[in-house]
Amino acid sequence: MKIQTEQFRVKPKDQVKLAKSPTMVDPFYRSKEEYRELLNEQIERMSALQGLLYANNSWSILLIFQAMDAAGKDSMIKHVLSGINPQGCEVYSFKHPSAEELDHDFLWRSMRRLPERGRIGIFNRSYYEEVLIVRVHPEILAGENLPDALAARKGIWHDRFRSMTDLEAHLTRNGTRIVKFFLHVSKDEQRKRFLERIDNPEKNWKFDRGDIDERKLWKRYMDAYEECLNATSTKESPWYVVPADDKKNARLIVAQVLLDLLEGLKMKYPEVSQERRDELQRIRQELAKG
């Protein structure tokens, strides 16, 4: 069954209400075995298309993942992109900005990590943190060394939304296709995953006491995400709100979005001239002689 990804896409002028957006939908698989078969089939197709993307060397792909803690970003990247050739794919996880990064505008560190032509870039968190965690924690903004008059502007978040969409429009005009995923996990499911991290010794390292402090700010984060999604999902660079309580289902949805994107580029392998084909035949004849 083909996954109709449009139902998860935030269309321009949509007004997303996350409290009404599902964190769980009917599964696209009937068993663990069928899930593995479906995902493996998607990965095989992605691998072939990635090879074509690399050979074509005209387009680049940027995938952005945002979510609350324990929503499954890391495992999503691990499972969905497991079949991608590492030479044509780069993953960046953006943490707290360094002193050097704070001495530049908020988009600078992300622009340095944009994918080259023919490659897929993956941002595990991104410049969107600047209108999410920074908005929920104003003290972070105070540490970004902005001139006082700019930091105090009432329209600062609108200005940042505009900077992001302007950047993405520029990248699109120059051959980078951008898809953004918000992995929508429920507060109850997050609680279960936190408990698992505590109860399972092999996952203790994943748990941070600060995660609980952030959980207390859930409503503020949802408000920030809603405004961000509504302001920055465009026809060319859309957001997808992916129900993430079922990790397997979420992976199948994300994989299908990426497949649709790659297939929509209608790429072809570079054409070889007759002169080049003649040369290859001569080389072949030499090799055949031993």
Side-chain angles (χ1 to χ4, degrees):
M1 176 177 62
K2 181 173 173 58
I3 300 171
Q4 302 298 326
T5 58
E6 282 299 304
Q7 64 181 302
F8 308 111
R9 181 173 179 150
V10 180
K11 299 174 180 62
K13 299 184 180 179
D14 274 0
Q15 290 300 306
V16 173
K17 294 295 183 183
L18 291 176
K20 297 181 179 180
S21 298
T23 59
M24 175 83 79
V25 293
D26 291 339
F28 295 102
Y29 60 94
R30 288 167 294 191
S31 64
K32 289 184 179 180
E33 292 71 23
E34 184 178 27
Y35 156 72
R36 294 191 190 96
E37 290 176 5
L38 290 171
L39 185 61
N40 287 337
E41 179 184 333
Q42 290 175 316
I43 289 172
E44 287 180 11
R45 289 166 59 199
M46 273 191 285
S47 180
L49 287 165
Q50 187 219 3
L52 184 55
L53 178 76
Y54 189 84
N56 189 264
N57 199 40
S58 295
W59 297 97
S60 57
I61 305 293
L62 176 60
L63 307 178
I64 293 176
F65 290 91
Q66 293 286 157
M68 296 294 286
D69 293 319
K73 296 187 306 300
D74 293 344
S75 65
M76 175 70 70
I77 294 167
K78 175 183 176 181
H79 285 83
V80 172
L81 297 159
S82 61
I84 298 293
N85 187 331
Q87 289 184 318
C89 179
E90 295 176 316
V91 181
Y92 292 99
S93 296
F94 291 96
K95 306 296 184 182
H96 189 278
S98 67
E100 179 186 21
E101 289 166 345
L102 288 172
D103 279 335
H104 293 80
D105 68 273
F106 74 92
L107 290 171
W108 181 76
R109 67 172 181 163
S110 298
M111 293 184 67
R112 299 172 68 209
R113 304 302 186 187
L114 292 172
E116 302 173 25
R117 297 192 191 280
R119 290 166 170 78
I120 297 174
I122 301 165
F123 286 179
N124 185 347
R125 301 193 187 274
S126 67
Y127 45 84
Y128 279 99
E129 293 290 285
E130 293 291 332
V131 293
L132 296 169
I133 188 172
V134 176
R135 191 167 189 174
V136 173
H137 293 279
E139 66 275 12
I140 299 177
L141 181 64
E144 291 188 351
N145 302 325
L146 284 172
D148 292 341
L150 297 180
R153 273 178 52 81
K154 290 184 178 180
I156 186 171
W157 308 117
H158 178 271
D159 291 344
R160 289 192 168 192
F161 291 147
R162 181 177 177 182
S163 294
M164 293 167 180
T165 54
D166 284 350
L167 170 65
E168 291 169 359
H170 165 75
L171 293 174
T172 299
R173 290 191 296 268
N174 287 275
T176 297
R177 297 297 304 273
I178 304 166
V179 178
K180 302 168 290 193
F181 299 99
F182 170 59
L183 304 185
H184 189 23
V185 69
S186 66
K187 192 175 184 181
D188 187 54
E189 179 63 23
Q190 186 197 59
R191 179 183 63 83
K192 292 177 183 177
R193 294 179 186 180
F194 280 165
L195 288 171
E196 183 184 3
R197 290 181 178 184
I198 294 171
D199 295 340
N200 185 344
E202 294 182 359
K203 294 188 176 182
N204 286 170
W205 65 274
K206 285 186 174 184
F207 186 79
D208 188 295
R209 182 64 181 79
D211 294 341
I212 300 301
D213 296 331
E214 295 301 287
R215 179 177 164 81
K216 295 175 183 176
L217 303 173
W218 188 275
K219 178 61 167 59
R220 292 173 63 181
Y221 272 108
M222 291 301 103
D223 290 344
Y225 267 110
E226 279 185 5
E227 187 168 351
C228 173
L229 294 169
N230 293 328
T232 62
S233 191
T234 65
K235 180 180 179 181
E236 295 78 16
S237 305
W239 277 101
Y240 287 82
V241 178
V242 180
D245 281 3
D246 180 342
K247 288 186 178 182
K248 296 181 179 64
N249 226 29
R251 292 164 192 162
L252 294 175
I253 294 169
V254 168
Q256 189 60 54
V257 171
L258 180 52
L259 278 173
D260 291 346
L261 172 60
L262 288 168
E263 290 171 349
L265 297 179
K266 301 186 184 303
M267 298 175 289
K268 298 179 180 178
Y269 281 102
E271 294 186 8
V272 179
S273 66
Q274 184 60 50
E275 180 181 1
R276 176 60 173 163
R277 286 196 292 270
D278 292 342
E279 179 187 13
L280 290 173
Q281 286 303 312
R282 288 194 296 271
I283 295 172
R284 188 186 188 288
Q285 290 173 6
E286 292 178 15
L287 288 171
K289 294 176 181 177

